[in-house]
Amino acid sequence: MRLGIISALAEEQLGLVEAMRGPSKLIHGMRDYWAGTLWEIDAVCVLSRIGKVAAAMTATTLVEKFGVTHILFTGVAGAGDKTVQVGDIVVAEALVQHDMDASPLFPRFEVPLTGLTHFQPDQQLSLRLSRAAHEFLERDFLDAISEGERQAFRLAQPRVHRGLVASGDQFMNDRVRLEALNAALPGLVAVEMEGAAVAQVCYELGVPCAVIRTVSDNANENAATDFMRFVKSVAAQYAFHITRRVCRDLLKYPLQPSRVSAGT
Ligand code: SAH
């Protein structure tokens, strides 16, 4: 396997590139692709930048130019539901582009000509991710996140959620809009700006992918407050330790070949 790891923000990627053995950098399409091994897994790390087009272009390049066989997206997201708190982890079970609306020609959220509103990530890889996320919270969390940061962000007992992730080219910071989206998309757990674009590319190219997000904000009026501090001191640690656990797990128990399945 060759694992492509996409991060949206530089702070989230830094630790991974530092942990890479034998890293070599190749610049393509205004992005730095770092190839090497991560905990003995052949990997390519890249910063997608923000938004659906940026993420789609990055995912396509990873597959077509760098020959990755699997893609993992790690990043942060706004909570998509009241049960989801800052500091929780979300593993996507399905992904939807919430700003896709070609109605009345196609149903709302349907990506024209795919017949799909929801794209499904690879089940095996997603399962490994949730397992790594649980283990991170049980075993690494208290050491990885300082007490000061745990208090500042009220991270008492973070949880792992599996559910629907909605992506769009908007930073969601409006309670009313979020509630409307939550009502239109049953099972919504997180909102972000890249995951569903990566999921569509991977579906169309037949490459298994998985998306994990640390919840950085409540997608309401306070969403931007302390956002970068959270990314640096909390989310970057989550991404690092969870990726480390996933790589170790994949080395020990390689994935079985799986058919890429579509959504509904
Ligand atoms: N303030 C940042 C902008 C970050 S954009 C800056 O100046 O650089 C938000 C990034 O985090 C995107 O990659 C997106 O996927 C994710 N994200 C976190 N919270 C979000 C929210 N409430 N709505 C949409 N995307 C969110």
Side-chain angles (χ1 to χ4, degrees):
M1 91 178 295
R2 182 164 226 218
L3 185 63
I5 303 177
I6 310 182
S7 322
L9 303 169
E11 293 75 9
E12 298 172 320
Q13 194 205 33
L14 197 65
L16 290 179
V17 172
E18 281 172 4
M20 202 168 229
R21 290 258 169 91
S24 66
K25 181 172 88 167
L26 204 140
I27 304 172
H28 179 81
M30 302 187 179
R31 283 153 179 73
D32 295 350
Y33 291 81
W34 290 93
T37 54
L38 269 178
W39 298 285
E40 292 176 55
I41 294 288
D42 186 18
V44 184
C45 292
V46 58
L47 204 61
S48 63
R49 305 186 183 174
I50 295 165
K52 297 204 297 337
V53 174
M57 133 90 153
T58 310
T60 308
T61 304
L62 272 176
V63 176
E64 297 295 325
K65 194 170 170 67
F66 293 88
V68 306
T69 57
H70 297 74
I71 290 184
L72 179 60
F73 195 109
T74 69
V76 292
D81 187 79
K82 290 196 177 68
T83 60
V84 179
Q85 314 275 326
V86 169
D88 285 359
I89 298 168
V90 165
V91 178
E93 250 173 5
L95 298 111
V96 63
Q97 293 170 32
H98 70 72
D99 52 358
M100 174 58 78
D101 189 354
S103 60
L105 302 178
F106 297 92
R108 187 179 176 199
F109 304 128
E110 185 171 307
V111 176
L113 308 187
T114 64
L116 298 173
T117 54
H118 292 46
F119 291 86
Q120 272 163 6
D122 184 67
Q123 283 189 8
Q124 277 193 75
L125 196 53
S126 303
L127 211 62
R128 302 293 185 95
L129 263 182
S130 334
R131 194 156 78 192
H134 279 289
E135 286 175 1
F136 162 73
L137 290 178
E138 279 158 27
R139 303 196 194 149
D140 310 323
F141 174 72
L142 289 177
D143 290 330
I145 315 294
S146 71
E147 198 185 339
E149 295 304 272
R150 293 201 304 269
Q151 281 179 1
F153 291 105
R154 297 171 203 266
L155 311 178
Q157 290 208 298
R159 297 193 301 147
V160 181
H161 305 263
R162 300 210 47 193
L164 179 64
V165 171
S167 314
D169 287 327
Q170 276 129 12
F171 184 77
M172 187 74 74
N173 58 355
D174 178 339
R175 193 183 314 257
V176 176
R177 286 202 49 230
L178 179 71
E179 277 170 13
L181 203 59
N182 183 286
L185 292 170
L188 184 69
V189 287
V191 286
E192 39 88 310
M193 302 177 71
E194 300 86 12
V198 171
Q200 181 184 341
V201 167
C202 287
Y203 164 67
E204 293 183 345
L205 294 176
V207 169
C209 73
V211 175
I212 186 163
R213 296 278 184 170
T214 302
V215 175
S216 53
D217 60 87
N218 288 314
N220 60 20
E221 295 66 26
N222 304 321
T225 319
D226 288 339
F227 180 83
M228 284 324 293
R229 175 174 167 192
F230 183 89
V231 170
K232 269 189 204 134
S233 62
V234 182
Q237 298 297 322
Y238 276 53
F240 179 85
H241 288 284
I242 294 171
T243 309
R244 177 176 58 83
R245 288 193 172 273
V246 165
C247 287
R248 293 217 165 126
D249 181 66
L250 290 172
L251 188 71
K252 216 165 161 189
Y253 308 104
L255 288 177
Q256 302 301 313
S258 64
R259 200 177 59 83
V260 176
S261 61
T264 44

